[in-house]
Amino acid sequence: MSDFHPDVIVVGAGLAGLVATHELALAGKRVLVLDQENRNNLGGQAFWSLGGLFFVDSPEQRRMGIKDSHELALQDWMGSAGFDRLDDEDVWPQRWAEAYVAFAATEKRQYLRDLGLKSLTFVGWAERGDGRATGHGNSVPRFHLTWGTGPEVVRVFLEPVLKAEEAGLVRFGFRHQVDELVVEDGAVVGVRGSLLEEDDDLARGVRSSREVVGEFDLRAAAVVVSSGGIGHNFELMRRNWPTDRVGPAPEHMIAGVPAHVDGRMLAITEAAGGRIVNRDRMWAYVEGVHNWDPVWPDHAIRILPGPSSMWFDADGKRLEGMSGVPGADSIGSMKQILATGADYSWFVLDQTIIEKEFALSGSEQNPDWTDKDIPLMLKDRIIGKGATGPVEAFKEHGEDFVVADTLEELVAGMNKIARGGRVLDVEALRTVIEARDRQVDNPFCKDAQVMAIHNGRRERTGKIMRVAKPHKILDPAHGPLIAVRLNILSRKTLGGLETNLDSQVMGADGVPVPGLYAAGEVAGFGGGGVHGYNALEGTFLGGCIFSGRAAGRALGRA
């Protein structure tokens, strides 16, 4: 590295780091990008994502008959975030939220299209809410699926960065593990760390060696920390778990992110003077299943459910209200599940529901969208019979799935994989399912979940692709019956390094630390927690893009 003198060092080659590097290269700055993994991992967790993006009043929404607006989106965001630390930790997050929603309603879509990114016509309705107009949730569908999923989101930024590398503006330092930010006269002027043994042939996402083979000491006028969150550091998650708000930390947890998502840079940046805020805010999913074909340790996949599966806690009690509707209110569901003292729950459904409503998170679980394969998409999702290939594979091989022709057989299978000695009663379950089934005889009812199903089928994407026609779950014509044991899945860190709107890291004194910037998940996707207590989905990649762009443009002007 002695022949390369960077203007900026970027720590972390995930999406936020690539966006910042792209913007810096456009401004003619020399950038050194360091990452503890190899080149195969460029793009980080974003590569594995479904590629969902949050747009407001988009052409895709309008084509699907969806009326959205900046005012409605901001109302939803603030109702979901629930910012309540406005005299301290939520000052910058709220400002970021206002700026981000405005970005999503104006230039965000064109900014990405200019880079070559396109969305599918269908718009998904994620996090449908807690039932209050001013509370948590999306009032309308806003989940825009990238044509090409996560790899495409990475590609549109990676390609110009690689061109900048060829031009000599960008240099990568792989297997560089930063252990310290160098501070001189109160300003961050570089990084020190450990060189890890080479593993150039190791596949993306696979756990890599931490064998140290050397050291490095590198300098630049500014450092951007874009190292991601804490999603595979279960110890750190449990230490910061909001027990008083959602219930006890789960004993059994599975990982939605690779092993290198360890949160190391949070403490390292704090030691250099950066302030961490909202440590107790994180986004774990309650619909996680063990991956039958794992890439990393404890590798989990999230089920992206439609609204029709019946949801029971570990004791067989049906989850209540809108948080008992799959895909509606993640934190509300978490509270009900953990209140039992268990760390898992159950979906009970049938073949008709799994065919229409089950999607799986992850680019690798959606080959039609990821590979831009239109015939396969039409066959798997619209015209053809059966669930998608990856969903059927989980149904056949997944350790969390039970399939049976009768309810007696289904409950017997559920009890075989129940944890903690819990036993479900078949007749108690039958009583609840039959009561729900009686609610589908009319196009109106009093059951909150069945009402949500009818509501979901009123919007076009739901009726075409995502919401099964209401029917009786115990009707053999829709069989076989299916149960899925749902585990707590780690994913996103909602708190993090406090930053201003230029992505400068703030110190404990409320003043930016000279030379220090942060972007992406390590900064709570902006400000130290732009999402507040909840997320509206499709907002994580956008937060990486928006905060990485802010850091790159601010330093590009410097």
Side-chain angles (χ1 to χ4, degrees):
M1 298 291 182
S2 59
D3 61 334
F4 187 74
H5 303 286
D7 300 301
V8 179
I9 295 173
V10 173
V11 181
L15 179 59
L18 291 178
V19 175
T21 302
H22 166 62
E23 292 290 344
L24 284 162
L26 287 177
K29 302 293 184 179
R30 297 182 302 276
V31 189
L32 174 60
V33 184
L34 304 179
D35 199 282
Q36 60 186 4
E37 301 306 306
N38 65 14
R39 185 177 283 267
N40 293 335
N41 284 276
L42 281 169
Q45 175 59 20
F47 179 91
W48 299 102
S49 75
L50 195 59
L53 292 166
F54 178 93
F55 297 124
V56 177
D57 191 27
S58 69
E60 290 79 14
Q61 286 176 299
R62 294 194 291 272
R63 279 195 292 270
M64 297 305 290
I66 300 163
K67 296 179 181 180
D68 200 5
S69 68
H70 173 257
E71 293 77 16
L72 182 60
L74 187 62
Q75 174 181 300
D76 286 347
W77 194 289
M78 295 305 178
S80 298
F83 295 124
D84 57 4
R85 300 167 182 173
L86 293 172
D87 59 343
D88 188 12
E89 293 181 286
D90 279 337
V91 171
W92 283 110
Q94 180 169 275
R95 293 176 186 174
W96 272 89
E98 292 167 349
Y100 179 70
V101 174
F103 177 61
T106 54
E107 61 182 308
K108 177 184 176 184
R109 182 178 180 275
Q110 192 60 51
Y111 173 72
L112 292 170
R113 286 184 72 85
D114 287 345
L115 289 161
L117 186 142
K118 296 181 180 179
S119 299
L120 285 166
T121 298
F122 302 108
V123 184
W125 197 356
E127 285 296 299
R128 301 175 186 216
D130 61 10
R132 298 174 298 144
T134 57
H136 168 59
N138 286 295
S139 298
V140 299
R142 296 192 178 102
F143 190 91
H144 294 68
L145 185 68
T146 298
W147 186 229
T149 69
E152 181 73 357
V153 178
V154 171
R155 181 193 69 79
V156 300
F157 290 101
L158 179 57
E159 285 188 354
V161 167
L162 293 179
K163 288 181 181 177
E165 181 187 26
E166 292 176 3
L169 277 177
V170 172
R171 180 80 61 91
F172 287 100
F174 298 107
R175 305 296 285 154
H176 281 61
Q177 180 178 268
V178 173
D179 301 320
E180 178 188 357
L181 297 178
V182 180
V183 180
E184 294 178 356
D185 298 325
V188 173
V189 296
V191 296
R192 295 192 185 100
S194 306
L195 293 170
L196 306 178
E197 68 176 346
E198 296 293 334
D199 61 357
D200 293 346
D201 296 328
L202 200 64
R204 179 187 290 274
V206 176
R207 183 193 288 275
S208 60
S209 168
R210 288 297 176 264
E211 182 72 25
V212 175
V213 297
E215 298 177 342
F216 63 87
D217 187 326
L218 301 164
R219 305 301 171 99
V223 173
V224 178
V225 178
S226 55
S227 54
I230 65 173
H232 206 106
N233 189 334
F234 293 169
E235 178 185 353
L236 190 55
M237 284 187 67
R238 292 190 176 104
R239 191 187 313 160
N240 293 298
W241 189 265
T243 302
D244 59 337
R245 198 169 68 248
V246 304
E251 182 178 338
H252 180 81
M253 192 154 42
I254 47 183
V257 294
H260 62 256
V261 184
D262 54 21
R264 292 180 70 255
M265 286 304 301
L266 281 163
I268 291 168
T269 308
E270 187 177 33
R275 185 186 184 214
I276 301 174
V277 295
N278 301 311
R279 298 172 191 261
D280 61 327
R281 296 178 183 171
M282 58 191 75
W283 195 245
Y285 290 111
V286 289
E287 312 99 338
V289 290
H290 297 81
N291 195 341
W292 65 275
D293 186 21
V295 176
W296 55 78
D298 302 310
H299 187 180
I301 296 296
R302 183 200 174 198
I303 294 170
L304 302 169
S308 300
S309 298
M310 293 191 71
W311 205 341
F312 297 90
D313 67 23
D315 294 322
K317 179 184 176 183
R318 188 182 180 192
L319 269 61
E320 299 176 343
M322 283 302 296
S323 52
V325 178
D329 178 17
S330 290
I331 296 296
S333 304
M334 178 87 73
K335 291 178 182 178
Q336 293 195 52
I337 293 164
L338 296 180
T340 66
D343 51 19
Y344 69 96
S345 62
W346 298 98
F347 275 169
V348 173
L349 60 149
D350 56 32
Q351 184 65 26
T352 296
I353 293 172
I354 201 171
E355 289 180 6
K356 188 85 167 185
E357 297 195 6
F358 265 37
L360 300 171
S361 66
S363 53
E364 81 285 7
Q365 300 297 331
N366 298 276
D368 53 344
W369 291 334
T370 299
D371 297 337
K372 303 180 182 180
D373 189 332
I374 293 176
L376 180 60
M377 180 183 71
L378 293 173
K379 172 181 173 294
D380 271 4
R381 313 227 182 223
I382 300 176
I383 299 172
K385 297 291 185 181
T388 65
V391 168
E392 285 292 341
F394 265 86
K395 193 181 96 175
E396 180 180 354
H397 303 295
E399 64 182 80
D400 298 298
F401 286 72
V402 180
V403 182
D405 290 324
T406 68
L407 189 61
E408 288 83 0
E409 293 170 331
L410 188 77
V411 173
M414 294 165 73
N415 285 331
K416 285 182 181 179
I417 62 173
R419 293 198 290 264
R422 294 172 187 259
V423 178
L424 300 169
D425 180 79
V426 62
E427 292 309 319
L429 216 62
R430 187 193 309 277
T431 297
V432 177
I433 298 173
E434 287 180 344
R436 177 264 181 207
D437 279 357
R438 294 186 188 104
Q439 296 285 300
V440 303
D441 290 334
N442 297 289
F444 49 86
C445 67
K446 70 175 184 179
D447 185 279
Q449 181 179 14
V450 180
M451 287 192 288
I453 294 168
H454 287 304
N455 196 34
R457 284 181 60 83
R458 289 190 184 99
E459 59 96 9
R460 295 173 191 170
T461 298
K463 187 170 185 177
I464 295 169
M465 295 182 65
R466 289 290 286 149
V467 184
K469 186 177 180 179
H471 62 275
K472 297 179 187 295
I473 288 177
L474 293 181
D475 181 350
H478 295 278
L481 293 170
I482 302 163
V484 186
R485 182 183 59 186
L486 304 173
N487 309 271
I488 307 298
L489 178 152
S490 70
R491 186 61 66 85
K492 299 300 180 185
T493 313
L494 298 189
L497 295 168
E498 185 179 43
T499 57
N500 64 17
L501 291 176
D502 282 335
S503 290
Q504 293 177 288
V505 176
M506 309 301 287
D509 57 359
V511 177
V513 178
L516 183 58
Y517 294 71
E521 192 173 348
V522 74
F525 302 94
V530 67
H531 296 94
Y533 289 102
N534 290 284
L536 291 175
E537 293 296 319
T539 55
F540 299 122
L541 296 179
C544 290
I545 292 166
F546 189 52
S547 59
R549 188 178 92 141
R553 291 190 172 185
L555 282 164
R557 295 190 299 266

